[in-house]
Amino acid sequence: MELPLNSKEGKEGNMKKQALKTFTMWSLLLMLTAVTVSAQSERSKITIPFSFIVGEKTLPAGEYTVEPNRRDSDKFWLVQNRDSRTSCLFTTISVRANQTQEETKLVFHKYGDQYFLSQIWTPGGNTGRELLMPRWERELAKNAIEREKVVVTRGVHLERNNLRPAQRMR
């Protein structure tokens, strides 16, 4: 049995429905805002002062954005040159650090004058992303006497470490 709209129960029912609709809309808006903020916080702008290799592709020095390719997954990442729109999509695996990262860091392996993007670290956590080592780099690592680790943040070299090929960086 349906109550007339002008009865007290009918008005309360309509108010409850309206309150539920309003609550649902605000919840959805809040959730979308949180996803957007989360996606933006993963996106990093960084100047890389040298050409470098990602997978089988060489990218020129310049200003890049580095971000997950999809909002719901951090397995695939995209690095894109802001000026030339040169980009590369690549697969990563999760790696952990002993301490929370305070800023975005890109880790490169350097052999002679060739730089290979190796890891991506974003601020606020102790997990990063590591790229799979391309065949070309594996060959260099096998034959090279020494490999240098170069960490870049906003175009500044933070550290350089010479490592023997058998050493693993974490």
Side-chain angles (χ1 to χ4, degrees), residues 3-168:
L3 296 173
L5 290 178
N6 60 4
S7 75
K8 188 175 182 180
E9 290 90 16
K11 288 180 183 178
E12 288 177 0
N14 282 341
M15 288 176 55
K16 286 180 183 178
K17 285 180 185 177
Q18 185 62 33
L20 182 60
K21 284 181 185 178
T22 303
F23 176 77
T24 303
M25 286 177 40
W26 279 107
S27 297
L28 181 60
L29 182 62
L30 183 60
M31 184 175 65
L32 289 173
T33 303
V35 168
T36 302
V37 168
S38 173
Q40 288 174 348
S41 68
E42 296 246 6
R43 183 178 205 171
S44 302
K45 294 177 187 175
I46 194 161
T47 300
I48 303 171
F50 45 78
S51 63
F52 62 101
I53 300 164
V54 178
E56 303 297 321
K57 191 169 188 177
T58 302
L59 300 173
E63 186 177 355
Y64 285 84
T65 57
V66 181
E67 62 189 333
N69 188 48
R70 292 180 28 188
R71 290 183 187 158
D72 62 344
S73 171
D74 59 358
K75 183 175 181 177
F76 299 100
W77 282 66
L78 178 69
V79 60
Q80 185 172 28
N81 185 295
R82 295 179 46 83
D83 295 330
S84 70
R85 293 292 182 201
T86 305
S87 64
C88 187
L89 183 65
F90 51 93
T91 305
T92 65
I93 57 175
S94 182
V95 289
R96 290 197 175 275
N98 292 333
Q99 56 195 33
T100 301
Q101 303 301 302
E102 296 193 20
E103 58 189 335
T104 299
K105 296 179 189 176
L106 300 182
V107 178
F108 295 87
H109 292 168
K110 182 180 181 219
Y111 304 89
D113 62 349
Q114 296 177 326
Y115 293 84
F116 292 85
L117 181 58
S118 174
Q119 295 177 342
I120 302 164
W121 297 90
T122 54
N126 69 339
T127 59
R129 304 304 301 175
E130 184 169 74
L131 286 72
L132 303 176
M133 189 180 281
R135 182 176 9 103
W136 188 9
E137 184 182 357
R138 281 193 306 270
E139 290 173 17
L140 286 171
K142 203 183 308 180
N143 300 323
I145 296 170
E146 151 179 312
R147 165 174 67 191
E148 190 174 346
K149 174 184 168 184
V150 179
V151 181
V152 174
T153 176
R154 303 222 184 255
V156 177
H157 297 290
L158 292 180
E159 67 180 77
R160 289 175 172 251
N161 294 330
N162 290 333
L163 302 168
R164 281 178 253 127
Q167 288 178 303
R168 189 82 173 126

